[in-house]
Amino acid sequence: MLWTFIVLSGVFNGGHASPTQSPSTLTGTTGDVPCRFSDGGRVANCLGGQLESVPWRYFPSTLEDIDLSYNRLQAVRQEDFAHVPRLRVLKLQFNNISRIHDDAFRNNDLLEHLNIFNNSLGEIPASVLTSLPNLKFLYMSNNLYKRATLAEGFSRLAKLRVLSLGGPLVEGLKKEDFDSLKNIKLHTFAIKCSSNLSYYEPGTLRLLQTAQIGFDMAVDQRPGTLRHILRDLANKTFGGIQFRNLFEFSYYTGDEDIFQGLSRVAAYQLVFHRGKFNENLLRMALTNLQEAPIKRVRFQYIDFARSPTFTDSGAESSITNLHLETLDLWYISNPDILRFDWRFSWFNNIRRLSIGYVYFNSVPCDAWVEMNGVEVLDVSNNRLRDDYVFNQLCDYRGSMSSLHTFNLSTNELVSLRDLAALTRQFRRLQVLDFSRNQMGSAQSSRGCVWQENITRVIAHHNQFTTEGLDCLPTTVHFLDLSSCNLDQLNVRYFEKAVNLKELLLSDNKIKFIPSKWESPSLFRLALDGNSFGLISVESFQLMPGLSDLRAGNNPYHCTCELHAFIEDTKAKGRVNLTDWPENYKCYHPEPFLNTVISKYLPSEVACDVRLVIIISVTTTAAVILILMLTCYIFDLPWYTKATYQIIRAKYRAHKERAAGEAGPFAYHAFISYSHWDAEWVREHLLPCLETNRNPYRLCIHERDFMPGRWIIDNIIENIESSRKVIFVLSRNFVNSEWCNYELYFAQQRAMGKTFSDVILVVKEPIDPSSLPSKYCKLKKMLSTKTYLEWPQQANQQAFFWTQLRSVLGRPTRDSVRSKKWSVGGQSTTEVREPEVAHPDGEAEYIKDGVFNERQIPVVACNGGKRRDICLETIVAIGRFLVPALMCKYLIAGCCVAVQKHAVACVAGTERVDKMGRQLEKAIEGLITIFHSYSSKEGDKHKLSKAELKTLLQEELTDFMSGCSDASAVDKIMSDLDENGDQQLDFQEFVVLVAALTVACNEFFEGTCKN
């Protein structure tokens, strides 16, 4: 038994000695206290504190266990343990104790365990030890006393069970040394003697009663001592016998069979630990073991050598009847021990053969045949390679006929195919262990044919690929693939392994669990320590027998699926999570990092799909309802329809332009009005803008829309072909669907630009707040944009037309296609001349090769009658174009001139019939005065600033005398110079004269009334 060896080894090493530790590692020590106290003051750990004396002052009286090993104690004094009457365990091994006071343990009658192993005692302290009636374990070997004789007082230690004594100075054993133990039944007895054993008296051990016995003595000088020892042990039954360092310095070369008498020793296990063995000594031991009632034999840490005097006669091996339950060959220095007699017949009747750390490099073919009786073969830890164990030249048929378990772990095997070929003939093989090798590659895992009886495969710590799993036996009931570097599972293999009941896949790199993983017989599964983060109820649906699952220590994504799996597992109770809950933690999402999954409780809304669907459908329906309501309130269907019409019209216009029909603006303005306002448009708007000498080109739907075309197309095309769009606003306009379209299309044309192209003419007062919601843009324009309002008083209408023309700009001749239009009800055709771009962005037209020649537009006034000059228009121009600043400087001069002619208020004015002649002279004089000053320098048709100043000073002396501002001329020049060329042409000059004339007339009329 392994436990037998452990016990005997512990006895030889001073019991279960603790390893050396530094006191600094002992948590619980405070200040200068050299020990750590625990278990409510019952245990004191003073191990390795470099203590030179027992710190008894720190010991509470409740102590029961004190460990003072690995210190520098030199003596045990009377007071050291006098204050701990409850002491039961005292460990003093590995110190330098040379003296123990006779009364050291007077107050420790309860002491059961005393260890004084490996100290410096010169003699056995009999008087101290025999005063401990309850002593059960006494370890006092490896001290410096020279004799192992026990005093008569040891007979009083009736409870003693374990005793070890002796040391390197004990030269021999005498018959009376252990007489005091003859009535004590021990469990373990161990004796250590000098490496130079001088004597051994036969019968020394005959009186001993013990279950385990160990000898640490070398018989190099007296080999016959072994024969006397075996004779003393004969006819007794032992659980275990151990010989340590039997031959410590030399190999036995004698011919005498020193193992004679071993056949009469009854022991369950015999251990040879350390020492030197050669072929002759090994043969002697095995030959006597053939007849001995010993079940287990172990050779470990043996220095084996071939015997130079041994010759093989060719006869059969002398070791043919060795019947053992277990033979262990561990840590043998020479692998030749396996065939010390060049045959393997000594393995034939061994049930369990274990060969470890022997590092043999070949297995002859006949060895497999000779091991027919072996049921368990363990060749682990031997650095075996494939060609060491599998020889293609060997015939394995009929070999290893009894083998049940084959352990090849911790070697350097690579090929599963070779292992399958080796074990294919092992008819009774059921358990195969090839863990801690390098198997599993795809290349060396093809064409595997296994013995069908294999039910248990242990293959952890290999390097399996997914393809390598196909080479495993499919008859297994148990499969361990832990730590095999697997990153995914081979579902095909598990479908074939229909009898698989236990599967261990711990500590791999498996990234996901296949949803169609089928294993009907599986009831225990280990998946802990992998890399998958998702697991769901569906993961193990095809495993109806699964009852135990270990899946902790994975980077779980805490999701509803995982929560549902945990809840379903706990609710049904079919699957037991064996490592729940401490090994199940969240790694994702980050807010839940390291959260124990048992505390992850997502809301019902987040995880109930049906509830999410209901909420989603309800929310969607509410949003749709809100959108529909919004569309109804803000007339979005109408805008959608209008946008659709725009797109259609633009698409058709694009196709027409692609066909070559394209041109610039054809109209100065597009007039948008309700048909209820058509009369006002025809009788007022068109005559005042179209029947001038330099008329505007206007577009109205009644006359200019192309017959046969879509109305929408006509609207969009004509709006885009017009520079500006005039909206005649009235209640009729607001109620007109087509007017709304025209307004919307004009807005779309201006999108991304300013709305300067849109002119609002309010024909009748409109409250913006009363407009429908679809006129939101119109509301904004009426609130933020200056608009023209049609005056109902006739004397204010001239100013209205002047404002409208100023907004429209001067009419130009546009380059357009020939277009038919009507004036006064007659259809005419007009061809426009090319347009030239002016530097300031205005369009000027070419007439007689001279640029910038302007004309005062001819307008219809007073019922539509034609006149060369309309006084009201000129007055309006003066009021509108001449800023108040200029009037400020000239009004004073105007008043002076009027006062000089105040007599006119009394005498009256001349008759109207004389006005024509006087007006002609006034016009002629006005032209003559202008050119008399403009011809002095520069352009003869324009006044420079100096020329203007001279003209004002000489011709308008009275006006200028009332102005004290020296910069008045500059400001007048700036206000009149419309084109910014620092000169005034005749038309600009006439504006000045007209403005002054109007201002003076108003002042004159006011003076006459007063």
Side-chain angles (χ1 to χ4, degrees), residues 108-129:
N108 306 117
D109 292 341
L110 299 179
L111 190 64
E112 298 177 352
H113 183 119
L114 178 61
N115 192 335
I116 52 176
F117 173 82
N118 204 83
N119 277 280
S120 301
L121 295 172
E123 58 183 33
I124 297 175
S127 60
V128 177
L129 300 177

Side-chain angles (χ1 to χ4, degrees), residues 8 33 71 178 190 201 294 316 670 875:
L8 289 172
V33 178
N71 282 287
F178 308 123
E201 291 184 2
I294 295 176
E316 293 184 358
F670 176 88
V875 172

Side-chain angles (χ1 to χ4, degrees), residues 16 236 262 753 773 829 960:
H16 304 292
K236 294 183 179 182
L262 183 61
K753 308 174 186 178
S773 58
T829 301
M960 295 301 294

Side-chain angles (χ1 to χ4, degrees), residues 163 187 287 316 379 405 544 801 822 886 905 918 971 995:
L163 174 63
H187 179 273
T287 300
E316 293 184 358
V379 291
T405 302
W801 298 118
S822 61
M886 192 177 75
C905 295
Q918 293 178 4
K971 294 181 178 179

Side-chain angles (χ1 to χ4, degrees), residues 495-720:
E495 290 176 352
K496 298 176 184 177
V498 294
N499 297 318
L500 184 61
K501 294 179 174 60
E502 297 181 63
L503 176 61
L504 307 183
L505 292 168
S506 305
D507 301 314
N508 281 286
K509 299 179 181 178
I510 301 172
K511 297 180 176 60
F512 67 95
I513 306 299
S515 58
K516 297 183 179 180
W517 186 4
E518 183 178 359
S519 188
S521 302
L522 192 67
F523 71 86
R524 182 174 293 117
L525 175 63
L527 288 167
D528 52 311
N530 280 278
S531 301
F532 60 86
L534 298 176
I535 191 170
S536 63
V537 178
E538 293 78 16
S539 299
F540 309 107
Q541 279 189 339
L542 300 181
M543 301 178 185
L546 185 63
S547 59
D548 290 339
L549 175 63
R550 188 169 74 244
N553 296 318
N554 282 290
Y556 282 110
H557 292 217
C558 281
T559 61
C560 293
E561 278 189 314
L562 178 63
H563 179 70
F565 170 76
I566 298 298
E567 292 300 314
D568 181 76
T569 302
K570 292 192 298 184
K572 293 182 178 179
R574 183 176 64 87
V575 179
N576 176 33
L577 298 176
T578 58
D579 52 347
W580 174 267
E582 62 276 1
N583 293 333
Y584 292 77
K585 296 181 179 180
C586 299
Y587 282 76
H588 182 83
E590 187 174 351
F592 296 102
L593 181 63
N594 292 327
T595 300
V596 179
I597 295 178
S598 60
K599 297 181 180 180
Y600 171 69
L601 302 172
S603 64
E604 185 177 356
V605 175
C607 294
D608 192 335
V609 178
R610 292 170 297 181
L611 188 58
V612 170
I613 292 175
I614 292 172
I615 294 175
S616 300
V617 171
T618 305
T619 305
T620 304
V623 170
I624 293 174
L625 184 61
I626 293 172
L627 288 176
M628 292 175 65
L629 185 61
T630 304
C631 292
Y632 175 77
I633 294 174
F634 293 99
D635 290 315
L636 290 182
W638 184 90
Y639 284 108
T640 304
K641 179 181 177 182
T643 304
Y644 169 71
Q645 297 294 348
I646 289 176
I647 294 172
R648 285 187 60 192
K650 286 185 177 291
Y651 174 71
R652 288 192 291 267
H654 171 73
K655 292 179 66 177
E656 291 176 0
R657 286 196 296 270
E661 299 178 10
F665 294 115
Y667 303 100
H668 293 100
F670 176 88
I671 312 299
S672 176
Y673 59 94
S674 169
H675 71 279
W676 297 104
D677 299 323
E679 182 179 356
W680 181 86
V681 172
R682 289 192 297 269
E683 294 183 0
H684 293 82
L685 183 63
L686 294 182
C688 284
L689 296 180
E690 288 188 339
T691 58
N692 296 324
R693 179 181 177 186
N694 202 12
Y696 290 95
R697 184 78 178 279
L698 304 178
C699 177
I700 62 174
H701 67 273
E702 297 176 3
R703 141 190 106 191
D704 297 305
F705 276 13
M706 180 69 68
R709 297 196 66 184
W710 292 88
I711 297 176
I712 293 295
D713 291 352
N714 271 314
I715 292 174
I716 294 175
E717 179 185 357
N718 285 286
I719 287 178
E720 292 186 345

